[in-house]
Amino acid sequence: MKPFRKTAAGIIKYMLVLLVCIFVLLPFVIMISYSLRTTQNIFSLDHGLIPRQPTLQAYKNAIQSYNFSGSGFGTWSWNSLWVCLIATFIAISFSATMGYAISRFSFKFKKPLWFMIALTQTIPWIIILIPYYMNIAKLGLTNSLGVLMVTYAAVFLPTSAWLFVGFFNNIPIELEEAAKIDGCSQWGIFFRIILPLSVPSISAISLVAFVTGWGDYLFASTMMKRAALWTLPLGLTSFRGEFFIQWAEIMAMSTLVTIPIVILFIYLQRYLVDLMSGGVKG
């Protein structure tokens, strides 16, 4: 009786996992399927997941032909990549040192600082959007990729620091004590021991920060009004006209935006799981 119950429980578990996978993956399958059609075919009776006459015309239009106010896919891709990379680098640089300080040292206002970092995890971006934009506009800093980089870095930093603290807490303090006995300075310990051990963790945290900026529409749409400064999420909205929506091109561009992130997540998934559980094992 017990083997039967165990087998039945296993079957139910795998069926539930299969249903969840189908539920999660189906939108992506539909997106890719629609990207291999024309907009006219999307509104036809061809509603199967596999298009009858697959075509890459939508990709060609989105990448090569499409132009909005003098800008297109190439410009928007470069803006997104440049802004997210710099913002992630700034956030990781500051959050790694902050996380290490909170994990290893005792200093004044340490608990209030840690409380503020934890509190930011509960605050949605939209709450600060209006006052933030009003101040940026008063300073004349709208339509600036540099300001967008700093904005993203400030948004990434608390979450990244919180994740770094959890990882650094799992690094044995004995390694640092041994290094001090050998005459290594505190900065030397951080750069020669802590950071090399943290490469997997840095990779996973960087991915989380990068993806957050890569998919942001809220801040970018508020601060960037010129098409030449748009990021990819803003560029996607330009396919929606007053009388006509280019659905095939939207699906093609969405696929191009999504695939690199999916590849990175697949490559770093082990590090992400370990990171969320409190540390990355070597």
Side-chain angles (χ1 to χ4, degrees):
M1 193 67 178
K2 288 184 178 180
F4 174 77
R5 289 181 178 178
K6 186 175 181 180
T7 302
I11 293 174
I12 293 174
K13 180 177 70 174
Y14 284 113
M15 289 297 293
L16 289 174
V17 171
L18 180 61
L19 288 174
V20 171
C21 290
I22 293 174
F23 181 77
V24 171
L25 293 177
L26 187 59
F28 295 99
V29 174
I30 294 175
M31 178 180 70
I32 295 173
S33 174
Y34 279 20
S35 72
L36 298 174
R37 314 177 192 213
T38 63
T39 299
Q40 291 74 18
N41 289 339
I42 290 177
F43 288 100
S44 69
L45 296 178
D46 180 14
H47 296 305
L49 287 180
I50 301 177
R52 296 176 185 175
Q53 296 178 334
T55 176
L56 296 176
Q57 187 63 39
Y59 288 92
K60 183 179 179 180
N61 293 341
I63 297 174
Q64 298 180 357
S65 305
Y66 184 74
N67 185 287
F68 184 84
S69 298
S71 302
F73 180 80
T75 301
W76 301 330
S77 297
W78 172 252
N79 290 343
S80 288
L81 185 64
W82 176 246
V83 167
C84 293
L85 283 176
I86 298 299
T88 300
F89 177 78
I90 295 173
I92 294 301
S93 299
F94 282 96
S95 61
T97 53
M98 182 188 299
Y100 181 69
I102 293 174
S103 174
R104 288 294 190 263
F105 304 121
S106 297
F107 53 88
K108 194 175 182 180
F109 302 121
K110 175 180 177 179
K111 288 185 177 180
L113 175 62
W114 181 238
F115 175 77
M116 289 180 62
I117 291 175
L119 184 64
T120 59
Q121 310 305 305
T122 66
I123 301 176
W125 292 19
I126 196 171
I127 290 180
I128 66 171
L129 180 61
I130 295 177
Y132 182 75
Y133 173 76
M134 292 175 63
N135 286 294
I136 291 297
K138 287 180 181 179
L139 296 172
L141 296 177
T142 55
N143 286 317
S144 171
L145 290 177
V147 174
L148 190 61
M149 292 177 190
V150 175
T151 302
Y152 285 164
V155 172
F156 301 160
L157 198 150
T159 301
S160 301
W162 178 72
L163 292 172
F164 271 121
V165 170
F167 173 76
F168 291 146
N169 285 339
N170 285 337
I171 297 180
I173 192 68
E174 289 79 12
L175 293 175
E176 299 177 46
E177 293 174 348
K180 288 180 181 179
I181 293 175
D182 291 337
C184 191
S185 65
Q186 194 65 58
W187 281 110
I189 292 172
F190 181 71
F191 285 108
R192 296 180 183 180
I193 297 176
I194 301 300
L195 286 186
L197 289 174
S198 307
V199 170
S201 178
I202 291 173
S203 300
I205 296 173
S206 297
L207 177 60
V208 173
F210 182 87
V211 170
T212 303
W214 186 263
D216 170 62
Y217 176 82
L218 191 62
F219 274 101
S221 63
T222 303
M223 300 173 61
M224 299 297 163
K225 304 304 180 184
R226 290 168 47 197
L229 298 175
W230 283 359
T231 54
L232 282 170
L234 298 185
L236 273 169
T237 63
S238 67
F239 289 98
R240 184 185 60 194
E242 184 177 357
F243 303 105
F244 187 73
I245 300 177
Q246 297 171 273
W247 286 112
E249 284 74 13
I250 290 176
M251 295 300 173
M253 194 167 173
S254 299
T255 302
L256 293 173
V257 172
T258 304
I259 286 178
I261 302 303
V262 171
I263 293 173
L264 286 174
F265 264 106
I266 292 174
Y267 180 72
L268 297 173
Q269 61 178 330
R270 180 174 67 88
Y271 298 145
L272 285 169
V273 172
D274 290 339
L275 178 68
M276 297 307 174
S277 64
V280 177
K281 283 77 177 176

